[in-house]
Amino acid sequence: MSKQKPWNLELFRAFDDNFSEDHLLINAPIRNFLEDEYIFFLSGAKGLGKTLFLRYKSLLYHRRFGHSVKFNVSQTELTENLRLPAQYLSYKDLDRFRTVQQWSELWELSFYTVVFRLFGLTLPKPIERILPLDSNTDVSIAISCLLNHRNRVREYRDALLEFQGRRNEVQSAVILFIDDVDQALHELLSNFPKEPSQDYQPVTDVWVNAQMGLVKAVYTLSRLNAHIKIYGTIRREAWEAFQDPMALNYRRYIAVLEYTKEEVQEIFIKNIYLTPPQKMPKLNASNPVERFIGFTEIPHRFAKMPNGEPRREKVLDFIYRHTYGRPREIVLMGQKIEDLVSATHYKEATEEQRFLLLRQVVNKIGGEIFAQYREEIIPYFDEAELNDLIRRIGRNVIFREHFNSLGETLLRRYLNFGLLGYVHQGDLQGGLVQRFLPPATYNCHRLRPLPNTEYLLVHSTLDSLMLEHHALGTFYDERNIIGDRYPFVPVEQAPQYILEYYLPKGVSGNRWGAGSENGGHPEYGLEEVYCTFFNFHEKPHQFVERFHSEFRKAHELLTLLGRLCSCHLLYRRLHRTEYREQKERCIKEISRYQVVRPYQARFNGLNEEITLTRFLDRLIGRFVTLGALLVLDLHLEWIHDLLTQGQFEFTPHDKHRANALTYLSRAFYIKGLSQNEPRCPDRPEHLRTKEEIFSHLSPFEQDELRRFAKDVVEETLHLNWLDKAAAEWLDQNVLKRVWTPPGR
């Protein structure tokens, strides 16, 4: 068997008798596409291998079926690469072909035309008149002729009805493979300038809806005649922008192409094994990365550990974070790095010199990848806006106090494009983690909101461009290496504690100034307890840290509860196994938290550690109750069961509500709590009840609830197991009804 060429950016052309599947990285979405005859489309960003695996599926089908099936292409061609040599389109034409339905009809007509000619069947007269006499009509010719005779739309519809009425004349299998639809549309629309001053929305609609019309046409044809199978690719941006009730139905027939970091890095390592040994600087190393590059870790030039030592990262992680995580980009990196490491000057260089040389190549290629990515942005990338941003951002970490001056619209756009990242709490210990959205996962019609974060981060692919305008020594953060899922060390600031910030504005009964036997504090009122507990200036640092750590965990618990509610609602609506399984995972994850605590335990002496611990338990239980009641709209008995048993069932028990109310009132003294649960925020009386309860809370609790209400919506929509259509349903029917606390 001949050896495969390493770092091959044209791998899709490499299928021959010596080709082996071992050369490919095949993950679950790809395997599903290759093996499931009813998955008709691969959806993904550019550079993910859509063409490669569409051609590979064609190869497998040609080998499997041979001449027993009619194909639109030979085993040599494998796919028809769409061409649209249509006549010039005007803005008026864009309006004519702007909807999914219009494009679906064009595609369906084109496919019927190709299929009928493959079987030698006569065509409807309106179609026959506009086509060349060549009996080997392909999809490109068919749809181009339809577009060029676009004034005959009414005749087309009559022809489509005739095709559909005669569909059963196709009585044996026929398979079509079509690729490059997005690129053909791009070229068709290239005469419309991509400028903010232009009305570019019709162009975007055509680009998106032509692809989704293709999906609809294939879906329709497959249901009308099982003998006809059509396979193709669409861009992820088009799928994300598709807003239609049929999206859930279509999702079954689409494999969304995604890769984990580990899978992309595996592609890099596979190519190392294909690289000739004589090109490598460290032949005797057992680690393939060390053999190829000469080392396995690289120090950062500016990010330091607390002891002043440079932070280090795996060299493969360093390379990866200067891409957008796409196979084509990691192969391009490897190709350029191979040129570097095989050079004599690199092999003779010291380790420090090699670090510098590798950084230069990786940053340069990262900049080129960014330049290419800008051309892919839908609807367009605003270069003037980029230049303005570059001038105004002097560091790769942007602090919250600068968000307003940069503008929310700009920041949202760059965050959705994956060019800016954010920092969020990523583990049970309260550690912070960096997050960048993958390319092409944005909805160009409705961008995600900015997350609730203290920091925004500049993607490493922008470094080379940013450094053209800013000093090297001041651009990079001195604490952090910026990269997706890297840990983040926050800026150390001395907190200022003001007692009034933590004091509730009202509690139930007269418990603020007087003791309560039933409430567990018979000897002193809650005011004394609060003032003693929140006298942080006289408390050890560990005490304050514990308080904040416990509240972070309470936020995590509430977020998990929100996720659990989403899974429950989705499973109840869609009856899909993955949502039941996710619901079970949430329940298991919740069990890891210290949910059940002695919330009604009696207080002893005010300054005794046991009293402070019991009061902290109550503060946590009170906050969980408030979040679950006001934001998640849980029943009182569900909250009671959660706090006393660690779990609950989504079944209302009206007769248990009074007991639950008694328990929660005694433990958490929430003013305004009653059996009349405010679970419908769109009802004015329920909204007033929520606002009344909220008005009695401490400013600290109010701020924390505001943050949670915002987090629970954003966190739910960003779940990686939640497909687009389900997320949209959840957004429209559940999350938009989530109560937003008043104020800031």
Side-chain angles (χ1 to χ4, degrees):
M1 181 181 292
S2 62
K3 191 172 183 180
Q4 179 67 32
K5 177 184 174 183
W7 316 112
N8 185 1
L9 293 169
E10 303 295 322
L11 186 58
F12 65 88
R13 302 185 191 280
F15 297 129
D16 56 29
D17 293 338
N18 294 317
F19 183 82
S20 167
E21 196 171 280
D22 293 338
H23 298 149
L24 304 175
L25 189 288
I26 298 181
N27 59 17
I30 297 169
R31 181 62 68 192
N32 290 340
F33 174 70
L34 294 176
E35 296 182 353
D36 190 334
E37 65 176 309
Y38 291 103
I39 296 183
F40 300 125
F41 289 96
L42 264 181
S43 171
K46 290 179 74 69
L48 292 186
K50 300 188 299 298
T51 291
L52 171 66
F53 291 107
L54 180 66
R55 289 173 62 81
Y56 188 43
K57 183 164 186 167
S58 178
L59 177 68
L60 295 175
Y61 276 33
H62 274 87
R63 288 176 174 175
R64 177 180 175 186
F65 298 114
H67 296 294
S68 66
V69 168
K70 290 185 181 296
F71 290 93
N72 67 320
V73 288
S74 68
Q75 186 168 334
T76 303
E77 296 168 314
L78 294 178
T79 62
E80 178 189 338
N81 299 321
L82 186 70
R83 310 172 310 283
L84 291 176
Q87 297 171 359
Y88 177 84
L89 294 180
S90 66
Y91 276 104
K92 183 178 179 180
D93 293 323
L94 291 182
D95 280 331
R96 182 179 298 174
F97 296 104
R98 194 170 176 177
T99 69
V100 171
Q101 181 61 33
Q102 289 159 334
W103 278 100
S104 175
E105 292 172 0
L106 287 175
W107 288 115
E108 202 172 337
L109 279 164
S110 302
F111 293 141
Y112 272 124
T113 299
V114 172
V115 169
F116 270 50
R117 279 205 162 172
L118 283 172
F119 282 94
L121 301 172
T122 60
L123 302 178
K125 293 298 183 185
I127 302 300
E128 197 171 62
R129 281 197 296 267
I130 66 173
L131 290 176
L133 296 176
D134 181 6
S135 61
N136 296 319
T137 301
D138 59 20
V139 176
S140 299
I141 292 174
I143 197 165
S144 295
C145 288
L146 291 169
L147 286 171
N148 288 340
H149 294 82
R150 46 190 172 272
N151 292 325
R152 300 181 179 180
V153 172
R154 181 169 296 180
E155 295 179 43
Y156 293 170
R157 288 178 178 148
D158 293 339
L160 181 56
L161 290 174
E162 181 179 339
F163 271 134
Q164 291 172 343
R166 297 172 55 198
R167 65 185 182 274
N168 291 330
E169 293 180 27
V170 178
Q171 296 183 349
S172 60
V174 57
I175 301 177
L176 312 184
F177 286 91
I178 184 165
D179 194 19
D180 285 347
V181 174
D182 63 311
Q183 186 61 33
L185 289 166
H186 174 79
E187 293 172 4
L188 177 67
L189 301 168
S190 60
N191 59 288
F192 297 98
K194 293 184 175 183
E195 297 177 3
S197 60
Q198 297 288 332
D199 181 10
Y200 204 70
Q201 188 61 45
V203 181
T204 305
D205 289 344
V206 169
W207 188 85
V208 169
N209 292 336
Q211 294 180 71
M212 297 317 302
L214 172 64
V215 173
K216 181 176 181 178
V218 171
Y219 171 81
T220 302
L221 278 166
S222 69
R223 292 167 65 86
L224 291 176
N225 189 325
H227 293 304
I228 302 173
K229 297 284 193 305
I230 302 164
Y231 300 98
T233 60
I234 60 170
R235 284 274 290 278
R236 177 73 177 269
E237 295 95 327
W239 174 243
E240 292 293 334
F242 182 55
Q243 300 171 350
D244 189 279
M246 288 296 292
L248 273 175
N249 300 63
Y250 298 157
R251 181 64 179 85
R252 161 67 180 88
Y253 303 94
I254 298 174
V256 177
L257 191 50
E258 297 175 314
Y259 296 87
T260 65
K261 176 181 178 179
E262 291 72 25
E263 288 169 344
V264 174
Q265 292 182 338
E266 184 180 341
I267 292 172
F268 193 91
I269 292 172
K270 278 177 176 281
N271 278 274
I272 291 177
Y273 285 116
L274 296 174
T275 302
Q278 63 270 22
K279 292 190 173 185
M280 301 188 187
K282 204 168 183 178
L283 288 175
N284 297 326
S286 58
N287 184 299
V289 176
E290 184 177 6
R291 196 160 60 243
F292 180 57
I293 297 177
F295 45 87
T296 58
E297 289 190 344
I298 185 170
H300 197 277
R301 287 171 288 181
F302 300 100
K304 299 290 192 295
M305 300 284 288
N307 63 5
E309 291 293 317
R311 290 192 181 275
R312 302 179 70 87
E313 60 184 320
K314 293 180 179 178
V315 68
L316 200 46
D317 291 343
F318 166 70
I319 296 167
Y320 178 86
R321 69 180 176 87
H322 285 81
T323 73
Y324 300 111
R326 300 187 283 192
R328 175 173 287 273
E329 296 162 352
I330 205 73
V331 171
L332 176 63
M333 281 286 189
Q335 188 183 82
K336 301 303 182 182
I337 291 171
E338 182 192 63
D339 293 341
L340 170 68
V341 300
S342 60
T344 302
H345 74 279
Y346 185 88
K347 291 181 178 180
E348 295 177 350
T350 65
E351 188 171 65
E352 286 296 326
Q353 290 170 334
R354 288 179 176 180
F355 291 157
L356 177 61
L357 291 168
L358 182 67
R359 289 190 193 109
Q360 290 173 340
V361 168
V362 169
N363 274 290
K364 180 178 182 295
I365 302 306
E368 293 177 4
I369 289 170
F370 171 50
Q372 175 59 42
Y373 183 46
R374 277 140 62 186
E375 296 298 317
E376 303 168 18
I377 298 293
I378 303 300
Y380 54 80
F381 189 83
D382 191 334
E383 293 290 337
E385 187 178 65
L386 172 64
N387 293 332
D388 182 54
L389 182 68
I390 290 171
R391 287 193 298 269
R392 295 164 65 190
I393 295 179
R395 304 187 63 189
N396 62 351
V397 174
I398 307 169
F399 295 84
R400 177 184 280 276
E401 54 262 35
H402 298 134
F403 291 1
N404 287 339
S405 64
L406 293 168
E408 181 179 353
T409 301
L410 181 148
L411 295 178
R412 280 181 65 194
R413 190 153 43 239
Y414 274 66
L415 181 117
N416 278 263
F417 294 159
L419 300 175
L420 290 180
Y422 61 96
V423 174
H424 72 112
Q425 191 169 306
D427 57 45
L428 297 179
Q429 288 71 43
L432 298 177
V433 176
Q434 304 174 44
R435 188 76 177 93
F436 287 84
L437 299 177
T441 57
Y442 56 88
N443 180 341
C444 63
H445 297 312
R446 189 178 64 206
L447 298 179
R448 296 169 179 161
L450 280 179
N452 184 18
T453 182
E454 295 298 318
Y455 310 94
L456 292 174
L457 315 166
V458 178
H459 197 282
S460 297
T461 55
L462 277 72
D463 285 4
S464 60
L465 184 60
M466 297 290 290
L467 289 172
E468 293 178 10
H469 301 270
H470 301 287
L472 188 68
T474 58
F475 174 71
Y476 289 105
D477 186 73
E478 63 274 14
R479 294 175 179 82
N480 296 283
I481 300 175
I482 303 304
D484 186 43
R485 303 185 194 278
Y486 275 53
F488 186 85
V489 180
V491 176
E492 296 178 4
Q493 296 177 336
Q496 299 295 318
Y497 296 111
I498 301 173
L499 177 62
E500 288 73 17
Y501 183 61
Y502 299 94
L503 301 183
K505 299 170 185 176
V507 299
S508 59
N510 63 347
R511 294 170 64 180
W512 187 248
S516 170
E517 184 68 36
N518 288 335
H521 53 98
E523 299 177 8
Y524 27 74
L526 287 172
E527 182 178 16
E528 284 186 79
V529 183
Y530 267 89
C531 291
T532 301
F533 184 91
F534 285 106
N535 186 13
F536 283 165
H537 295 290
E538 296 183 10
K539 295 288 192 301
H541 176 71
Q542 293 83 352
F543 179 90
V544 180
E545 284 296 310
R546 181 187 174 196
F547 168 76
H548 289 296
S549 175
E550 288 287 345
F551 258 84
R552 283 194 294 269
K553 292 176 183 177
H555 267 282
E556 294 169 2
L557 173 61
L558 282 170
T559 301
L560 270 174
L561 283 174
R563 193 181 301 179
L564 176 63
C565 293
S566 298
C567 294
H568 172 73
L569 292 169
L570 286 169
Y571 180 66
R572 191 173 67 179
R573 175 177 174 79
L574 303 175
H575 303 289
R576 282 165 51 178
T577 304
E578 62 261 41
Y579 296 127
R580 186 191 67 221
E581 292 172 349
Q582 287 293 345
K583 180 179 174 181
E584 291 169 355
R585 290 191 190 99
C586 288
I587 293 171
K588 184 177 180 180
E589 188 71 18
I590 287 171
S591 68
R592 295 173 54 191
Y593 288 81
Q594 186 185 349
V595 181
V596 180
R597 304 186 186 208
Y599 297 111
Q600 287 191 320
R602 187 184 180 95
F603 295 169
N604 297 324
L606 275 180
N607 285 300
E608 292 184 19
E609 184 175 347
I610 186 64
T611 296
L612 298 177
T613 297
R614 288 174 177 173
F615 186 60
L616 176 58
D617 288 339
R618 292 205 189 197
L619 291 173
I620 297 302
R622 174 180 161 94
F623 180 67
V624 170
T625 299
L626 289 165
L629 178 73
L630 300 180
V631 179
L632 300 180
D633 293 323
L634 298 188
H635 284 293
L636 292 175
E637 61 270 24
W638 296 353
I639 301 171
H640 170 268
D641 291 349
L642 172 70
L643 295 177
T644 57
Q645 303 171 29
Q647 59 184 0
F648 67 95
E649 297 291 336
F650 284 95
T651 306
H653 297 288
D654 293 351
K655 63 181 180 179
H656 297 158
R657 196 159 297 152
N659 291 335
L661 175 63
T662 299
Y663 178 91
L664 297 174
S665 297
R666 287 179 177 176
F668 308 127
Y669 43 88
I670 298 171
K671 189 170 184 177
L673 200 62
S674 73
Q675 289 192 61
N676 298 321
E677 302 168 321
R679 301 186 67 243
C680 300
D682 48 347
R683 292 174 57 180
E685 66 271 27
H686 286 202
L687 181 61
R688 285 194 296 270
T689 300
K690 286 177 183 280
E691 291 177 349
E692 180 188 353
I693 293 173
F694 185 81
S695 70
H696 298 306
L697 307 181
S698 71
F700 170 75
E701 290 171 319
Q702 291 177 343
D703 283 347
E704 292 298 298
L705 279 175
R706 289 187 189 101
R707 184 160 68 91
F708 167 61
K710 185 176 181 181
D711 286 352
V712 74
V713 172
E714 295 176 5
E715 190 272 352
T716 302
L717 290 178
H718 294 165
L719 295 173
N720 56 15
W721 48 264
L722 196 62
D723 67 50
K724 170 181 167 289
E728 288 187 352
W729 178 87
L730 203 60
D731 184 31
Q732 295 296 322
N733 296 278
V734 180
L735 299 180
K736 285 193 181 305
R737 299 179 66 250
V738 170
W739 178 64
T740 302
R744 300 177 187 177

